[in-house]
Amino acid sequence: MDPRVLRSLWPIFAAETREQLQTIGTAVLGLEQGTADEASEQLTALKREVHSLKGSAASLGLSDIEQLVHAIEDGLARCDPGHVPPPGLVECTLRSLSAIESALNRGDSGDMPTIEGLGALLSALGKGGFEQVTETKPKVPSHFRRDGLQTLEKLETALGRLCSPGLEDRPGAVWEAVGLAELLKAAASTVGVTAVESLASSIRAGFARMEEAGVGASVAASDIAGALVQLRGALESLAEETPVEPVAPPAEPEVTARSAAGRRQQDMDRAVRVSVRTLDSLALQVEQLAAGRAQQLRRAEAHRELMEQTNQALLQLERAAQQLALSGGGGGALETLRAGVGQVRGVQKRLLQLSKDVHREGEQLALVAQVVRDDLRDLRMVPASQMLEPLKRTVRELAARLGKDVDLVLAGGDVRIDRRIVDVLKDPLLHLVRNALDHGIEPTAERVAAGKSSRGTLTVRVEPRGTRLAVVVEDDGAGLSPENVKATAVRRGLLAEAEAAKLTDMQAARLVFEPGFSTREQVTETSGRGVGLDVVQTTATRLQGAVDISFEKGQGTRFTIDLPLILAGALGLLVRSGTAVVAIPSDAVERVLRLAPSDVGTVAGHVVASVDGEQLPFHPLSVAIGQPRLPLALESGKPQTAMVLALGGVRAVFAIDAVVGQQEIVVRSLGRHLQSVSHLAGAAMLDDGSVVPVLNAPELLRAAAAPVMLRAATEVRRSHILVCDDALTTRFAIKSLLEIAGYSVVTAGDGEEALGILERTPCQLVVSDWQMPRLDGIGLTRRIRSHPKLSHIPVILCTSLDSPQERAAGLEAGADGYLVKREVERGKLLDLVRQLLPTNA
């Protein structure tokens, strides 16, 4: 196993293994003392625990521990259920447990967790535990003891230099001592003196911690001093050229070869397993503590204002007392007033001091709460390697099955991310990897024919990006084909051929995330079931993230999943839409801006906003989150407040009424009853105690930037309005105004063209000019009123003619509304449209 992965998993493994060793030792001893029935039950439970320990060791590639536990398992298998095991087997098992404990101690110090005397222990367990385990240590060369003592003296001198004040070249002195310890460790390893080797390793680690002066260096010096004393004893006890007599097995776990530094490191690295429910509960209490601190700050501000008001009132009383004194009146009342003012001044001073003390203590409390919050977040963070390493086996097996040569490159395994993201993202990541192997990387013959290397390369990396991270899956295959994707979408009935032709290459590429989409015609063990990449997008959205795709023909395809580093806490932007205040994670908000009416228009029937020269989809936030549509400031010719959301390469503009503020929020689940509300990520409690919904930014963006054909179903439910005017500028100005308001608009250049459109296309309302060629607005209105199928359609005449006689003539012809064109800019057209449209349109 990769040493980095082993280091990341070691604290958990060591803590769990020590618990298992204690359980096994207790159970083994219990076998000798229990009744036959009890012994039978204990033996079954013991075998289960031993088997579990063997599996854990094997999964981390710890062969010494695995072999020894396997031998213990074999020994227990020879025990008859209900019978007391032979004493020799119990002894050997306990001795083996002590050896494993010693190996764990070495692992805690950063060394490999090897087992001393493994062969003898395996032999004893293999013979039923009756054979006495004797261990003969190798002969030590005569020069080793002498050279070791000389190195020890140099290490003691180096420690003295590092402890003296005013040392100029501290890093040089540190690494000189580290080199001496490393040489001693290598020499001890060569001659097989493990006790000296372990101590030298601990001393080396201790000196490395002394590179920077401070409290940490002082603690390290203390640990090194203790280890040097043990090292001198170990070296002086070595008998030159004399074999060491058999040593009786230790009754307690072996720790003599561990230095004080090693013990301290063990205490730091040991891990405890904590229930996720307990962590969630503790996190909730910490957040409530932080919210309480915020409330305290608001109360402190209110107290400060009251103090200021009190001060103003006292000044007025003092001025009144001065005026009374100057006028010669007041007498005893004046003295009483002055005494009262003095007492209030004294109380004010004490309150001011108390306020300062409370503020200082509150700041300390806030600091503690922040530290605890950060520690709790760290508890949830795990290295990304836990998600990446299992892909090695998957790629190897699937590539062999597909007959492809593929190199897997993993990067970013040391990036720490939320454990819940790791758990949820494993399956979607597996889908992307399988998709790259099956669809992306070509067979060897095709690669060679294309002038590529015969071996494909699949790269999976995790990249931190501020408060977010990106999981990238990239292959060097043939690249995605938009034409093939469009043809597949048409063939599977996802869209019509005409609609497919309108799609850009990027819109076509995103079709691969639609449910049921697969370019594979035949169902195989790997592909063709129509389940896969839609899971990736769904999961990314659920994790408050987004997925993007990029490709280059003949060069490969890249999928990028954009996710937050942590799920619970985030900085939230509070915005108001209508009467509702909602929160949205700030890392999804690119900017907040004011849009002029000229910045918003329509392109291909869809409303867009111009931001820095780029046309982005534009939507009222109220409509996007399912609220009743409210009039926009743009409709009255005024600037509109809006925010630009951006995630995973997708951007869109949402109209809002105002920005309320920004603060740290903790997103809480809304439970299973509201899981179907896709635009909600959860809810959060603000520091004033109010609860606000938290919007799911990726879902808002996905809906806003959906391809044209995915909007077709909703398009038919929008009200269709016919705009008829012979002036091109006026016609498209009214068209844009209505489309921004959410209506679907068709246009005509005169009355005759308008009638033809009305007979072919269902429309719910007509807006027409009066003066037009061929058939004017009055004639069009009369023709509509006399038509048996069109007579129900409301008509608004919008003209520059504004005399009372002309207005009366228009209404007499059957028009439902009459507007002068200058009133259009004042928003009166939209008000009239809303009044006249059928409620079910």
Side-chain angles (χ1 to χ4, degrees):
M1 172 170 286
D2 189 331
R4 293 175 299 176
V5 180
L6 179 59
R7 283 197 300 271
S8 67
L9 297 179
W10 178 260
I12 299 174
F13 170 78
E16 184 179 41
T17 300
R18 285 188 171 93
E19 293 179 9
Q20 291 173 320
L21 293 179
Q22 183 175 357
T23 301
I24 294 170
T26 303
V28 168
L29 292 173
L31 290 177
E32 292 184 320
Q33 302 171 358
T35 62
D37 292 338
E38 292 174 344
S40 177
E41 294 177 2
Q42 289 175 348
L43 182 60
T44 301
L46 176 59
K47 290 179 179 179
R48 189 182 306 116
E49 194 74 19
V50 170
H51 186 75
S52 176
L53 175 55
K54 183 180 74 171
S56 299
S59 65
L60 295 186
L62 304 177
S63 58
D64 281 14
I65 297 178
E66 180 191 4
Q67 291 181 62
L68 188 54
V69 177
H70 183 69
I72 294 174
E73 188 178 39
D74 288 344
L76 293 174
R78 292 193 294 271
C79 294
D80 295 326
H83 292 79
V84 175
L89 178 60
V90 175
E91 273 186 41
C92 286
T93 301
L94 295 176
R95 192 180 303 119
S96 299
L97 298 180
S98 297
I100 296 174
E101 177 71 27
S102 298
L104 294 178
N105 293 339
R106 278 188 286 277
D108 292 338
S109 299
D111 297 329
M112 285 301 298
T114 56
I115 293 179
E116 294 183 9
L118 177 63
L121 289 169
L122 293 176
S123 176
L125 287 168
K127 295 182 178 180
F130 291 102
E131 183 179 5
Q132 179 76 18
V133 179
T134 59
E135 222 176 302
T136 300
K137 294 189 177 180
K139 294 181 179 181
V140 179
S142 58
H143 63 81
F144 175 79
R145 180 173 179 271
R146 181 181 65 254
D147 294 344
L149 289 172
Q150 291 176 356
T151 303
L152 173 62
E153 292 176 358
K154 293 178 181 179
L155 290 171
E156 291 172 342
T157 302
L159 179 60
R161 288 179 58 203
L162 288 168
C163 292
S164 61
L167 181 62
E168 294 182 357
D169 186 14
R170 187 178 190 86
V174 164
W175 292 108
E176 181 182 349
V178 167
L180 289 170
E182 188 67 39
L183 290 174
L184 180 60
K185 176 184 176 183
S189 174
T190 302
V191 299
V193 185
T194 55
V196 174
E197 180 185 357
S198 178
L199 284 169
S201 177
S202 298
I203 292 169
R204 180 196 181 283
F207 275 117
R209 289 156 49 201
M210 293 187 70
E211 186 170 1
E212 294 183 4
V215 177
S218 299
V219 174
S222 176
D223 295 338
I224 294 170
L228 290 174
V229 172
Q230 295 184 44
L231 178 60
R232 181 175 293 278
L235 290 170
E236 291 178 348
S237 66
L238 292 176
E240 297 181 357
E241 303 292 338
T242 304
V244 179
E245 294 296 325
V247 179
E252 297 296 329
E254 173 93 19
V255 294
T256 57
R258 290 173 40 85
S259 65
R263 286 193 296 270
R264 182 178 299 275
Q265 185 66 32
Q266 174 187 345
D267 293 338
M268 292 173 61
D269 289 344
R270 283 189 177 180
V272 294
R273 286 171 290 171
V274 181
S275 167
V276 174
R277 182 178 300 176
T278 302
L279 283 178
D280 289 339
S281 176
L282 187 57
L284 179 60
Q285 303 307 316
V286 172
E287 296 305 332
Q288 289 178 345
L289 178 63
R293 170 57 185 154
Q295 293 172 359
Q296 183 187 26
L297 286 175
R298 283 200 311 277
R299 286 194 293 270
E301 181 62 24
H303 180 267
R304 188 193 63 78
E305 293 176 357
L306 288 174
M307 291 286 290
E308 183 64 28
Q309 295 173 8
T310 302
N311 187 59
Q312 294 298 325
L314 284 173
L315 290 175
Q316 293 178 4
L317 289 174
E318 288 176 343
R319 283 195 293 268
Q322 290 175 358
Q323 292 173 0
L324 283 173
L326 291 174
S327 64
L334 178 60
E335 294 301 322
T336 303
L337 178 59
R338 285 175 172 172
V341 170
Q343 290 178 352
V344 175
R345 281 289 183 194
V347 173
Q348 186 186 37
K349 289 181 181 179
R350 290 196 295 272
L351 286 176
L352 183 59
Q353 183 60 44
L354 180 61
S355 177
K356 291 180 179 179
D357 294 340
V358 171
H359 179 75
R360 183 177 63 255
E361 293 169 357
E363 290 297 330
Q364 294 174 350
L365 182 63
L367 179 60
V368 171
Q370 184 61 46
V371 171
V372 175
R373 176 190 288 178
D374 293 341
D375 287 345
L376 280 171
R377 287 179 178 175
D378 287 342
L379 286 175
R380 293 186 180 277
M381 307 298 275
V382 297
S385 56
Q386 295 189 12
M387 176 177 64
L388 299 180
E389 287 294 325
L391 297 177
K392 292 180 178 178
R393 180 178 177 184
T394 299
V395 170
R396 182 174 179 177
E397 293 178 353
L398 184 56
R401 187 187 310 150
L402 296 173
K404 299 179 179 181
D405 292 331
V406 180
D407 288 328
L408 175 64
V409 179
L410 301 179
D414 55 345
V415 177
R416 297 183 66 82
I417 58 180
D418 196 314
R419 174 59 184 264
R420 289 168 293 181
I421 292 179
V422 170
D423 292 340
V424 176
L425 200 60
K426 284 182 179 178
D427 285 344
L429 188 59
L430 183 62
H431 279 301
L432 288 177
V433 168
R434 293 170 65 91
N435 179 77
L437 290 172
D438 192 25
H439 297 276
I441 297 177
E442 316 95 322
T444 302
E446 292 184 18
R447 293 181 63 87
V448 173
K452 293 184 176 182
S453 168
S454 60
R455 294 183 65 85
T457 300
L458 174 62
T459 302
V460 183
R461 61 180 182 272
V462 178
E463 302 174 352
R465 298 179 177 178
T467 60
R468 302 185 70 82
L469 64 93
V471 180
V472 181
V473 179
E474 183 176 9
D475 65 71
D476 66 344
L480 184 141
S481 170
E483 293 75 17
N484 188 22
V485 171
K486 291 178 184 180
T488 301
V490 173
R491 188 168 57 252
R492 292 185 178 273
L494 294 178
L495 74 165
E497 188 171 351
E499 294 169 334
K502 298 178 182 178
L503 298 181
T504 65
D505 286 349
M506 286 308 303
Q507 287 176 330
R510 294 195 65 85
L511 287 174
V512 300
F513 297 113
E514 292 304 309
F517 186 90
S518 176
T519 57
R520 181 73 70 194
E521 289 301 320
Q522 296 180 344
V523 175
T524 67
E525 188 177 354
T526 307
S527 301
R529 293 171 172 82
V531 178
L533 296 184
D534 62 312
V535 174
V536 179
Q537 178 163 274
T538 302
T539 303
T541 302
R542 183 155 56 95
L543 293 174
Q544 304 170 42
V547 60
D548 192 24
I549 182 174
S550 60
F551 55 92
E552 185 175 353
K553 187 174 182 180
Q555 301 301 316
T557 307
R558 177 190 299 134
F559 290 90
T560 303
I561 307 176
D562 181 274
L563 297 168
L565 276 174
I566 55 177
L567 290 179
L571 190 63
L573 183 71
L574 304 178
V575 301
R576 181 170 57 82
S577 176
T579 59
V581 175
V582 297
I584 190 163
S586 294
D587 56 10
V589 182
E590 183 179 282
R591 60 188 292 194
V592 176
L593 71 165
R594 299 276 285 176
L595 294 173
S598 59
D599 294 329
V600 181
T602 60
V603 174
H606 299 285
V607 184
V608 296
S610 177
V611 179
D612 297 331
E614 184 179 357
Q615 303 295 328
L616 302 178
F618 177 85
H619 299 274
L621 183 62
S622 58
V623 175
I625 62 178
Q627 291 181 329
R629 190 191 185 285
L630 301 174
L632 300 177
L634 291 170
E635 297 169 5
S636 301
K638 300 177 182 178
Q640 175 70 53
T641 303
M643 60 180 178
V644 180
L645 299 187
L647 282 177
V650 181
R651 303 169 72 207
V653 182
F654 292 87
I656 58 177
D657 290 323
V659 175
V660 178
Q662 189 177 35
Q663 71 174 62
E664 188 84 14
I665 59 173
V666 177
V667 184
R668 300 294 176 190
S669 172
L670 294 174
R672 58 185 178 87
H673 299 293
L674 292 176
Q675 286 182 348
S676 60
V677 185
S678 58
H679 67 267
L680 286 181
M685 179 179 291
L686 303 183
D687 53 18
D688 62 357
S690 61
V691 177
V692 297
V694 179
L695 301 184
N696 190 331
E699 177 60 27
L700 292 177
L701 285 169
R702 187 197 66 79
V708 176
M709 84 293 169
L710 298 179
R711 298 178 185 168
T714 58
E715 190 77 15
V716 297
R717 295 194 293 269
R718 296 168 62 191
S719 298
H720 290 266
I721 298 176
L722 172 64
V723 174
C724 182
D725 198 302
D726 61 331
L728 182 65
T729 302
T730 303
R731 188 162 70 238
F732 277 92
I734 297 177
K735 176 179 183 292
S736 297
L737 179 65
L738 293 172
E739 286 180 333
I740 291 172
Y743 301 109
S744 175
V745 180
V746 293
T747 61
D750 57 42
E752 289 290 349
E753 183 181 357
L755 279 176
I757 292 175
L758 289 173
E759 291 175 349
R760 299 190 307 270
T761 305
C763 292
Q764 285 74 46
L765 187 140
V766 174
V767 179
S768 176
D769 187 19
W770 182 322
Q771 297 175 316
M772 296 182 295
R774 294 205 297 175
L775 182 64
D776 62 13
I778 294 292
L780 173 62
T781 302
R782 289 173 177 160
R783 295 275 294 273
I784 290 175
R785 289 290 168 259
S786 62
H787 196 290
K789 295 183 180 180
L790 305 177
S791 59
H792 65 284
I793 299 177
V795 177
I796 299 174
L797 289 177
C798 186
T799 175
S800 57
L801 305 176
D802 60 351
S803 69
Q805 295 81 5
E806 291 162 337
R807 184 181 297 268
L811 296 176
E812 183 180 348
D816 298 274
Y818 192 99
L819 289 177
V820 180
K821 288 185 177 179
R822 62 174 177 269
E823 295 177 321
V824 172
E825 297 180 356
R826 302 174 187 168
K828 290 188 177 182
L829 174 61
L830 289 174
D831 292 338
L832 190 55
V833 167
R834 295 189 184 102
Q835 294 175 20
L836 295 177
L837 273 177
T839 56
N840 59 349

